[in-house]
Amino acid sequence: MQVDEATVRRIARLARMRVSDEEAKGLEKELSGIFDWVKQLDEVDTSAVEPMTRVVDQKLTMRDDVVTDGEIADQVTANAPMSEDNFFVVPKVVE
């Protein structure tokens, strides 16, 4: 897959990164190479491979599903610009 400068700029904008013209030219080649490498993975036959989350088969330990507030509401809202009764206060955004 060939990546052009417009695509590099769009990716940089989405990643909230500032990219100079020189960096954009270099990133075109790098990203094209990465996408070509990822495309090679499509050639690997994985039809006989079962989906897994880890190499070693391991069952997740179960625990009781208990709802708590963590008992640290004061600490959670301590750095908030505005809070009231352990809730975050935010500006109204819907009319």
Side-chain angles (χ1 to χ4, degrees):
M1 175 180 177
Q2 286 299 98
V3 177
D4 59 353
E5 186 176 351
T7 305
V8 170
R9 296 243 180 246
R10 183 167 186 258
I11 293 170
R13 183 179 55 81
L14 291 172
R16 305 224 190 282
M17 294 173 49
R18 189 173 309 153
V19 177
S20 69
D21 292 337
E22 291 176 9
E23 291 172 326
K25 292 292 182 193
L27 286 172
E28 283 181 47
K29 293 176 185 175
E30 283 187 48
L31 288 174
S32 293
I34 291 169
F35 288 135
D36 288 340
W37 181 79
V38 170
K39 189 172 182 173
Q40 287 179 3
L41 294 176
D42 289 337
E43 298 171 9
V44 177
D45 180 24
T46 59
S47 59
V49 178
E50 291 187 35
M52 60 182 182
T53 57
R54 57 180 56 92
V55 177
V56 178
D57 188 29
Q58 181 180 7
K59 299 288 183 196
L60 295 175
T61 55
M62 300 298 284
R63 61 179 172 84
D64 293 332
D65 190 13
V66 180
V67 177
T68 67
D69 66 355
E71 300 176 4
I72 58 168
D74 292 334
Q75 294 173 14
V76 171
T77 58
N79 290 329
M82 293 179 10
S83 65
E84 185 176 307
D85 296 327
N86 293 330
F87 291 98
F88 295 100
V89 178
V90 296
K92 183 177 178 180
V93 293
V94 179
E95 295 291 330

